[in-house]
């Protein structure tokens, strides 16, 4: 089943809105990633200094805590990488919507 240029443009208009909303979360991901990296540094300092786990910590060991933070860092970085792709897609979508002939 083929799609007309007009149909493709209409579909992409909705995708553009969704993509713009996703890109708006980039700053939040950047802040969260910075916080996670600071937490990882803090954990490593505590561990190096021979400090005990903080009271009330939900983790059983520094290793468990570090592994969790490293997972969060990886997820945050993946989100930022995805946003870079979304920015490129958004440029392409807008170019198509603005320039594709209706013929």
């Amino acid at each position: 089943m083929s799609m007309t240029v007009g149909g493709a443009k209409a579909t992409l208009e909705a995708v553009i809105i969704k993509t713009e909303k996703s890109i708006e979360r980039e700053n939040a991901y950047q802040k969260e990633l910075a916080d996670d990296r600071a937490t990882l540094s803090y954990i490593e300092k505590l561990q190096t200094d021979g400090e005990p786990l903080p009271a009330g910590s939900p983790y059983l060991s520094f290793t468990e805590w570090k592994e969790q933070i490293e997972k969060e860092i990886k997820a945050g970085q993946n989100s930022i990488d995805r946003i870079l792709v979304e920015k490129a897609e958004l440029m392409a979508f807008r170019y198509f919507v603005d320039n594709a002939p209706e013929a």
Side-chain angles (χ1 to χ4, degrees):
M1 182 158 147
S2 67
M3 179 180 279
T4 66
V5 172
K9 285 183 177 185
T11 300
L12 285 178
E13 288 292 347
V15 173
I16 286 171
I17 291 168
K18 180 181 173 190
T19 303
E20 287 172 336
K21 287 181 181 180
S22 178
I23 290 170
E24 288 174 5
R25 293 190 292 271
E26 181 179 18
N27 286 338
Y29 286 127
Q30 292 284 5
K31 288 176 185 175
E32 187 176 318
L33 186 58
D35 288 347
D36 289 341
R37 288 182 174 147
T39 300
L40 184 60
S41 293
Y42 173 70
I43 294 167
E44 290 170 344
K45 182 173 180 354
L46 287 176
Q47 194 172 20
T48 300
D49 292 348
E51 297 288 330
L53 283 170
S57 173
Y59 302 101
L60 301 176
S61 68
F62 282 109
T63 301
E64 181 184 358
W65 192 6
K66 281 176 62 174
E67 287 172 354
Q68 180 60 37
I69 295 298
E70 287 168 346
K71 286 178 189 176
E72 291 175 23
I73 289 171
K74 184 174 181 173
Q77 188 60 56
N78 287 342
S79 295
I80 291 168
D81 293 346
R82 185 193 74 247
I83 287 173
L84 291 175
V85 172
E86 288 175 341
K87 286 180 178 180
E89 290 172 340
L90 185 60
M91 288 175 63
F93 297 157
R94 285 183 175 151
Y95 183 84
F96 177 81
V97 168
D98 292 344
N99 295 300
E102 292 287 334

